[in-house]
């Protein structure tokens, strides 16, 4: 994709017209049209005049007719190759015409805003889906490492409404989900903070971890987690 610079002459890809680039950001190119209005447009919707090739060149050229020794020749000349002409003084426009141009610019800007909103919605949906597909993204502490707190108040908005069995089942489901996502994403290390309590949750976690051949696990450092965390490394 062409990299636009201030001063480039461009044509609109999906609509009639064009103008001169006045500003370039990471996402938009601002193009000033004949009316002096700056329009923010995605780079994908612009064609820089200097980049036009093939048939497009013809649309950006004028034809001179020359007769040499009785033979008529048609000569294409690029507009930008022509010598600079004296500036054309624009005639004042009527209020009705100015109003019409402003309405046209507003309508065009609204269309661009609508397109940008749709693009933003698509990005947000994609990010939301990515987060839902891999819940472990919420717990990353470093590349390839994560830390998951399994305390029930971290997993449920109203933990007091849960029975002890319901809370335990929720904690185990979350543990299994995070462990599976860690494997799928080739994580190096994950720490599960389960607390001390009666040791039921830790015992069940250890029982399940013992079923895997591709991981090492042991008590996490007491200096950082106390006695209530298990550290898992993937081979």
């Amino acid at each position: 994709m062409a990299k636009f610079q201030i001063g480039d002459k461009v044509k609109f890809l999906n609509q009639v017209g064009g103008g001169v680039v006045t500003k370039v950001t990471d996402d938009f190119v601002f193009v000033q049209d004949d009316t002096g209005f700056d329009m923010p447009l995605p780079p994908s919707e612009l064609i820089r005049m200097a980049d036009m090739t093939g048939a497009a060149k013809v649309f950006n050229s004028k034809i001179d007719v020359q007769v040499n020794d009785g033979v008529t020749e048609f000569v294409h000349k690029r507009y930008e190759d022509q010598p600079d002409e004296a500036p054309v003084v624009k005639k004042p426009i009527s209020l009705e015409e100015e109003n019409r141009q402003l309405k046209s610019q507003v309508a065009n800007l609204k269309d661009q805003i609508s397109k940008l909103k749709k693009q933003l919605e698509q990005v947000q949906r994609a990010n939301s889906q990515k987060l839902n597909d891999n819940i472990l993204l919420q717990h990353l502490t470093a590349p390839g490492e994560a830390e998951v707190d399994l305390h029930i108040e971290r997993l449920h908005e109203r933990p007091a409404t849960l029975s002890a069995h319901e809370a335990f089942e929720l904690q185990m489901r979350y543990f299994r989900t995070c462990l599976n996502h860690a494997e799928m994403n080739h994580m190096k290390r994950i720490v599960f903070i389960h607390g001390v309590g009666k040791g039921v949750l830790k015992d069940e976690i250890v029982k399940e971890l013992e079923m895997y051949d591709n991981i090492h696990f042991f008590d996490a450092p007491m200096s950082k987690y106390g006695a209530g965390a298990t550290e898992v490394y993937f081979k």
Side-chain angles (χ1 to χ4, degrees):
M1 181 179 296
K3 292 188 178 298
F4 297 95
Q5 297 180 353
I6 295 175
D8 285 348
K9 295 180 180 179
V10 296
K11 285 185 176 293
F12 302 142
L13 181 61
N14 298 318
Q15 55 186 304
V16 177
V20 178
V21 175
T22 59
K23 181 180 178 181
V24 179
T25 67
D26 291 339
D27 300 313
F28 299 102
V29 177
F30 290 75
V31 179
Q32 187 175 94
D33 60 15
D34 293 337
T35 66
F37 179 75
D38 283 350
M39 299 173 55
L41 295 166
S44 60
E45 295 188 10
L46 297 173
I47 301 176
R48 188 169 59 183
M49 303 278 284
D51 293 338
M52 297 175 67
T53 57
K57 288 183 177 180
V58 177
F59 294 109
N60 192 36
S61 64
K62 63 181 179 181
I63 299 175
D64 284 352
V65 179
Q66 299 177 357
V67 180
N68 297 315
D69 297 329
V71 179
T72 302
E73 297 181 353
F74 297 91
V75 181
H76 289 273
K77 292 186 177 181
R78 298 283 296 216
Y79 282 122
E80 53 266 34
D81 294 337
Q82 304 307 310
D84 293 338
E85 299 178 357
V88 178
V89 179
K90 294 184 179 180
K91 295 181 179 180
I93 61 175
S94 65
L95 290 177
E96 292 78 5
E97 177 62 18
E98 185 177 6
N99 186 49
R100 186 195 66 78
Q101 291 181 2
L102 288 174
K103 286 183 177 179
S104 175
Q105 292 168 3
V106 169
N108 198 354
L109 186 57
K110 286 182 177 179
D111 181 60
Q112 295 301 322
I113 292 174
S114 177
K115 290 180 180 179
L116 292 175
K117 284 183 177 180
K118 289 181 180 179
Q119 293 177 3
L120 178 60
E121 290 173 357
Q122 291 174 352
V123 171
Q124 289 176 334
R125 282 197 298 269
N127 289 340
S128 177
Q129 184 62 44
K130 185 176 181 181
L131 187 60
N132 290 334
D133 290 344
N134 184 7
I135 200 170
L136 203 59
L137 290 175
Q138 304 175 56
H139 304 290
L140 294 180
T141 56
E145 299 185 6
E147 186 177 282
V148 180
D149 193 339
L150 295 175
H151 284 91
I152 193 60
E153 58 268 18
R154 297 284 188 177
L155 307 181
H156 196 278
E157 293 182 355
R158 295 182 296 170
T161 64
L162 301 176
S163 66
H165 178 72
E166 289 172 334
F168 172 76
E169 288 296 323
L170 176 58
Q171 289 170 308
M172 288 303 300
R173 282 198 303 271
Y174 201 80
F175 159 75
R176 295 185 186 108
T177 298
C178 290
L179 188 65
N180 289 336
H181 285 169
E183 281 193 295
M184 289 188 297
N185 289 278
H186 307 291
M187 300 286 289
K188 296 183 298 183
R189 170 182 174 271
I190 181 170
V191 176
F192 291 101
I193 304 172
H194 43 67
V196 181
K198 296 180 180 179
V200 176
L201 181 59
K202 178 183 179 180
D203 290 345
E204 189 63 26
I205 287 175
V206 169
K207 187 185 299 184
E208 293 211 9
L209 290 175
E210 288 175 341
M211 299 170 61
Y212 291 84
D213 296 327
N214 63 326
I215 61 175
H216 292 298
F217 66 93
F218 40 83
D219 291 340
M222 290 190 64
S223 58
K224 183 175 182 180
Y225 300 100
T230 298
E231 193 166 3
V232 178
Y233 281 89
F234 294 86
K235 296 180 181 179

